[in-house]
Structure formats: structure tokens, C-alpha cells
Amino acid sequence: MKNLEAVAGNGLLDRRAFLRGGAALAAAMTGYTLAGPASAEPLADDPWSRAPGTNVPAYGVPSRFEKSVVRTLSNPNGEPRTQHGRTPHHLLQGTYTPNGLHFVISHAGDADIDPEKHRLVIHGLVKRPLLFTLDALARYPMVSRMTFVECGGNSAPLFSREPIQASVQALHGLASCAEWTGVALSALLEETGVDPKAKWLVAEGADAPALSRSVPLAKALDDAMIALYQNGERLMPGNGYPMRLLLPGWEGNMNVKWLRRLKLVEAPAMSYYESRTYAPILPNGKAYQFYFLQEVKSFITHPSPGLMLKAPGFYEISGIAYSGNGRISKVMVSADGGQSWAQAALHEPVLSKAFTRFRVPWNWNGGPAVLQSRAWDEAGNVQPTRAQIIAVRGQAAKVPRVTAFPSQHYNGVTSWAISSAGAVSHVYA
Amino acid sequence: MSTHKLTAALSIFAVNFGCLAAGPNLGKPIDAAEIAAWDISIPPDGTGLPPGSGTPAQGASIYAQKCAACHGENGKGAANAAVVGGAALTNGIDTVKTIANFWPYSTTLFDFIRRAMPYQQPRTLTNDEVYALTAYILALNKLIGENEAMNAQTLPKVKMPNRDGFIPRFPDKL
């Protein structure tokens, strides 16, 4: 079967190999995917087949067998500092992140807001300052879009000079993707009118620290949204209930949660988070400011550390690619540490500034392998290798804790080593 | 109707329409006095700084009472970040960012203390207390004199050491 020939080193197969189906293909696959004859024990009904099941709940939750599919928490006892909940990418598939597993960073807990009393004010350099209730916003024409949100500090452990042994959840879990629905910010700014002097807006939350960020007006008028719904239901409290600013493709922290105020101004406010936190230090002691964009990136979720390969044979390598600059145009996958590459299949539809699932069939021969993915976006940007990004951005002087943020905005390649025993570890290659 | 009159009529229509805007118009007009309590962003030029004043000595006693439990005695850090000192940024990309080695604008200190501190009771400090704490921390870092009061006039004039240490990452996005 021609399609099952390796197209790159260490057993990577043509991405179309399993899309065509058919008996001949199934037969061809048998050699390394189908186990031997089924168990010798005759089939019988299990207990759940012999009695009615449980009552249908008013709000469904996953099966009791899925209790391990949860976020990891950096501060589960709510000590007076930031709390992070990371998405378990290695236990999910597809491109949508379930709402309960969407990553959350809250700098002083999740605000508990009564939606009837919440207000959004737009003021400053506008013709008419206006106050909007949630009821009022809910009557505006709605827009929906799939988009990822990623913390500017996601993947920061890869700035460590030694590869930190941790799951894809620990390394890359501060990015998630949902369908967001709400009101285009441009529609509201049309009603307030915009003074020609306005160049920025300062967004502020109703949470305890009144988190605030400055956003260029051009982004606000381009594709910004006041998001009210997440994957069809109202926003989760940790994602900004009852409303958040959504800036597709831009640094998570700027997508201000619990949004209560937008002030149009001439110049940025230089708030704590823009002037300090999300300004990464460069090797020469200068620092990047106004990074904003989440650049093109990908990582392999299957397999990844914590998932074992039990025996040689067929596996699907899959992962997530995304770019704050638009659609993913191509993902290449290597099983030999970057010496040779196979083009991955992209799950359709490929949407702008959204997670794109990529897949490559792989025939693991049981020997050591190093898996990598590398993404391109439609704007022509290519995900840097780790060596390329480190050459510009440097690496941490000390090996950090996995939950630390030695810098921000890492979008380089991630490498997973497969041992002969089938264990997956994090390496630099 | 002549072309001239039609144009005039259309432009009057456009003006009227413009006043109402094309959308649902469900926002409620609100004036500056009603927004005042929320209007707390302070940019580098100090626009919007409130009346009031505070000295480092006044700030020291407020700090001991309301801040030291988390940020340590004399600003040296405890469970939460130190507010004094800081290594050279050339020590590494993971150098701890501090007020003295990193923050480009003194106004950010006033803005952040007023909006977010103390952590358990944000926005309970008076403006005088915020000025005093700002003065105390700036004096601890030797960025102002020990007896220098901070207020709406003096604070924006404090030049932070790292003000010119930044490079916009994507200037075309600004």
C-alpha cells in the first residue's frame, strides 16, 4: 500500500494514509494496529447493561471515570497571590476547550459578580459617554467566533537552560480555545462616537485589583468583542462572567475579564501589567514592551509526557497549532529530532486565530525517537526552533520552577523524546 | 429637486442619523461626575492624579501597619515581592523585575497601590495614604529624598532609572 510508506524518517507516514479508508487499507493496517484475536473469554452483559442507568442530571458533568481530566492548580488554597488553572491538552482532542477546563489566571480570585448589577462604562475621548447593562448588551446584534486565548507567559518553562520534565499541561496549559459570542466593540464605539484624538483605550475589570490594560484603538475597532458567551453558555466566572474584553490573537492578560470600564485616551496608561509584567527582559538588559501578539506556535499533545506507548506499531501523532496573525497554513512533524519532516493533515475548518488540530500517522519501530512539530501561518510567519528563539531572547540564568515565569512569549519548537520503553520525556533537540 | 438640494438634504439626514447612530442605542448617557469613583487610571503625565500629599515618614508607618505582613519589614520582601532593591537587568532574562530596576514610570506605583492594594482590602486607602506609601517606597529606593512629599505635581516628575530601557515589540501595531 503506497500510502503506508514512510514519508519522513523514523516511521512518519503520509498524512492522507488513513483518510481514504476502505478494506484494502484496513488490511494493510492490520500488521501494526490491530491486536491479535479478541480475548478468549466469551462476551457477556456487564452490570450496566442489565439495569437502568442513573438519572439524567440538570447540568451534565463528565463520566465518573474521567475524574483525572482536570486543570492543575498553582494555588489551590487561595493564598493571597495569583491562581493559575492549566488546560490538560494531553487528555483532550479536537480544538474546543470545554468551559470547565479552559485555562484561568486570576490575580485575586474569581470575581463573583451579580449580572443584574454589573455595568460597563465607555468614556474618555468619546462624543457621548455611555453606560451599558448586561440586559442592554444582550439586545445588540451578536457575533460569534472561535478563537484561542493564551497567556503571554504560556510555555515559559522552555526558557530554562535544562529541559524541565513536566506534562504538556504544565508546559503549555495556559492556552485554550472556545467559541465566543458577544457584541462587536466597534458597534458600541459607533454609538459613543470616537474623538479623533483617541489612540488607545484603557480596559479595566471589576475584580478586586481592578486589573487594567491599555489597548491600541486600532485593535479595538478591528476584531475586538465584548464577549458574553463561551461555547454557547454564559462565560465561566474564571473567564470573566458576565463579560470580558476579547482581543483575538492577543496576549491573554489584555482580554480583560469582568470588564467594567473602557476609557478612550491619547496615550497608554502604562499600567502595572503592561509596564512591568508582560515586558520580557532581553539578554542585553533592555526589555520588549507592548508585545501584544501571540505568535505562531504548535506543540504535540499525543503522545506527550505521561502518555506511554505500550508497544511498537501504529500511533497517531497529533497536536495543536495556532497564530495570533491568522490561519495556520502548514504544520510539519519530525520523528527524528528535526532531520526530516512530514506534512501534517490539518483538521478542517482551519480558522483564523483559533486552535488547529494537526495529525500525522506514525509507525513506531520501538526505537528511540524525538518528536517535534513546527507551524506556519498565512501571514508567512514560521514558528522558530528553540535554538532560534533562544538566540534572540536568551535563556534563564537559573533553572526555574515549572510554575515560574522566567520570561514571556515563548513560541519555539517543543521536543518530546520517546524511549525504547515507550516513555515520553521533554528534551531540547 | 436639484442635485444641490438633494445633497444638502442627504447631509442633514446623515447628521441626524449620526447623532442617533445606526445601532440599538441602548446605552445610558453618563457624565464625568457619575464615573469619577471608577476613573482611576493614572498615565505617566499624571493626568487625573487626585488632590492630596504624603511624605516617606508618613508612608513608613502606614507600610508597617498595612503592607509589611506580605512585603516584609522595610520593603525587603516576604511571602510577596520586595519593594526595595533589584539586580542589574543584564544578570539574566529572569532577573526579578523591581520598582527600582524596571518600572519605567512613578505614576504606575500610585495607580497600582490605589487600585489593587492592600491585597485583601483594595481601594480602602485614602489618597493621602497612597501618596505617602508611594513616597516611602520611592525614598527606600533612593529615587527621591527622605523628606520629599509626593503629590499631583511632584510625582510625575520623578524619573525612574529604567525609563528608557524599553523597545516596542511590534511598532506597527501601536
Side-chain angles (χ1 to χ4, degrees):
Chain A
M1 184 83 193
K2 182 164 164 277
N3 277 335
L4 291 181
E5 286 168 13
V7 295
N10 243 350
L12 289 180
L13 305 178
D14 189 290
R15 66 189 185 282
R16 296 172 293 259
F18 297 103
L19 300 178
R20 291 175 185 171
L25 178 57
M29 286 168 61
T30 305
Y32 46 78
T33 61
L34 300 182
S39 124
E41 272 183 53
L43 296 172
D45 278 342
D46 284 304
W48 51 82
S49 305
R50 286 186 262 121
T54 56
N55 292 343
V56 172
Y59 192 98
V61 295
S63 159
R64 63 192 175 93
F65 297 102
E66 297 296 316
K67 288 209 176 355
S68 64
V69 186
V70 291
R71 296 184 292 217
T72 46
L73 305 178
S74 66
N75 180 9
N77 298 320
E79 287 160 21
R81 56 185 166 85
T82 302
Q83 301 181 42
H84 309 77
R86 289 173 164 85
T87 296
H89 295 302
H90 57 305
L91 303 175
L92 301 175
Q93 263 290 356
T95 51
Y96 286 72
T97 310
N99 287 344
L101 299 175
H102 196 287
F103 93 89
V104 165
I105 301 179
S106 292
H107 294 285
D110 292 344
D112 179 25
I113 295 180
D114 177 348
E116 295 292 320
K117 294 183 178 156
H118 185 78
R119 299 288 182 270
L120 171 64
V121 170
I122 304 180
H123 72 124
L125 295 173
V126 297
K127 295 194 178 78
R128 298 191 309 158
L130 293 174
L131 177 150
F132 296 92
T133 61
L134 183 62
D135 276 353
L137 289 179
R139 288 174 56 191
Y140 278 71
M142 296 270 171
V143 289
S144 293
R145 72 169 295 158
M146 272 280 277
T147 197
F148 74 86
V149 179
E150 180 179 37
C151 171
N154 192 35
S155 316
L158 277 84
F159 283 110
S160 169
R161 54 186 61 244
E162 317 262 337
I164 294 178
Q165 291 313 319
S167 67
V168 69
Q169 179 173 22
L171 300 176
H172 300 304
L174 296 175
S176 306
C177 186
E179 184 204 62
W180 304 90
T181 299
V183 181
L185 178 53
S186 59
L188 302 181
L189 292 175
E190 226 169 85
E191 295 190 355
T192 61
V194 176
D195 185 312
K197 290 202 293 290
K199 293 287 176 289
W200 293 73
L201 51 82
V202 181
E204 183 181 280
D207 51 336
L211 188 144
S212 110
R213 287 295 302 261
S214 306
V215 180
L217 183 62
K219 177 67 173 175
L221 294 171
D222 175 17
D223 59 0
M225 181 199 296
I226 308 300
L228 309 178
Y229 294 86
Q230 172 182 1
N231 290 333
E233 61 184 356
R234 291 281 193 185
L235 303 185
M236 281 285 174
N239 293 120
Y241 180 88
M243 61 183 72
R244 80 178 305 171
L245 182 61
L246 189 75
L247 303 174
W250 282 27
E251 201 169 79
N253 182 260
M254 302 176 77
N255 293 250
V256 175
K257 301 189 286 190
W258 311 296
L259 186 70
R260 77 170 185 186
R261 191 167 71 98
L262 294 168
K263 183 178 188 179
L264 280 72
V265 293
E266 283 184 68
M270 303 310 295
S271 75
Y272 174 86
Y273 288 102
E274 61 216 28
S275 66
R276 175 201 172 272
T277 308
Y278 293 100
I281 301 171
L282 298 167
N284 66 2
K286 297 281 185 186
Y288 275 143
Q289 191 172 56
F290 306 137
Y291 207 113
F292 296 167
L293 192 68
Q294 296 300 123
E295 296 176 279
V296 61
K297 181 161 167 178
S298 70
F299 47 84
I300 292 169
T301 58
H302 300 74
S304 63
L307 302 179
M308 288 286 294
L309 280 65
K310 288 180 180 153
F314 173 78
Y315 291 90
E316 182 176 75
I317 297 171
S318 95
I320 293 164
Y322 50 97
S323 169
N325 268 316
R327 286 175 190 77
I328 290 297
S329 56
K330 182 173 73 170
V331 178
M332 302 296 284
V333 170
S334 175
D336 55 14
Q339 295 173 53
S340 63
W341 298 86
Q343 189 167 351
L346 303 183
H347 175 86
E348 294 287 346
V350 176
L351 298 172
S352 178
K353 306 176 190 179
F355 277 5
T356 297
R357 175 66 60 177
F358 62 87
R359 306 176 191 281
V360 173
W362 180 40
N363 187 12
W364 181 46
N365 64 12
V370 174
L371 306 184
Q372 298 180 324
S373 67
R374 197 170 187 200
W376 279 252
D377 69 27
E378 64 182 349
N381 303 291
V382 54
Q383 181 180 10
T385 64
R386 185 173 179 281
Q388 285 170 335
I389 188 170
I390 292 306
V392 177
R393 300 286 310 283
Q395 46 188 356
K398 288 173 267 183
V399 174
R401 286 174 295 113
V402 67
T403 50
F405 297 95
S407 188
Q408 295 84 25
H409 288 282
Y410 179 93
N411 72 319
V413 165
T414 301
S415 304
W416 305 135
I418 313 295
S419 74
S420 321
V424 187
S425 61
H426 180 210
V427 295
Y428 292 157
Chain B
M1 192 184 280
S2 72
T3 309
H4 177 75
K5 278 184 184 164
L6 178 65
T7 309
L10 279 176
S11 64
I12 287 163
F13 175 75
V15 167
N16 286 335
F17 197 66
C19 287
L20 277 168
N25 284 295
L26 299 169
K28 178 177 164 277
I30 181 168
D31 64 34
E34 293 169 298
I35 302 167
W38 284 10
D39 192 8
I40 57 173
S41 282
I42 304 299
D45 69 5
T47 302
L49 275 170
S53 182
T55 65
Q58 289 164 336
S61 61
I62 301 163
Y63 181 90
Q65 197 190 330
K66 299 189 172 177
C67 317
C70 296
H71 293 284
E73 281 181 31
N74 304 315
K76 292 192 188 307
N80 292 87
V83 297
V84 64
L89 297 178
T90 46
N91 281 13
I93 63 165
D94 50 341
T95 304
V96 175
K97 295 172 188 171
T98 67
I99 293 160
N101 77 7
F102 200 80
W103 292 35
Y105 298 102
S106 57
T107 45
T108 309
L109 193 51
F110 181 95
D111 176 285
F112 190 69
I113 294 170
R114 182 167 68 157
R115 76 171 57 243
M117 292 292 135
Y119 189 90
Q120 305 288 10
Q121 292 107 18
R123 296 187 292 289
T124 56
L125 299 168
T126 65
N127 289 329
D128 284 342
E129 287 177 316
V130 179
Y131 278 121
L133 286 167
T134 305
Y136 171 67
I137 291 167
L138 290 171
L140 270 185
N141 286 291
K142 305 200 185 314
L143 299 172
I144 61 168
E146 282 178 21
N147 299 312
E148 220 173 315
M150 288 292 105
N151 56 45
Q153 286 71 47
T154 57
L155 178 63
K157 296 199 182 95
V158 177
K159 184 161 185 204
M160 301 296 275
N162 195 42
R163 173 163 319 171
D164 301 320
F166 296 88
I167 303 162
R169 177 65 180 92
F170 295 107
D172 60 312
K173 298 270 182 199
L174 303 182

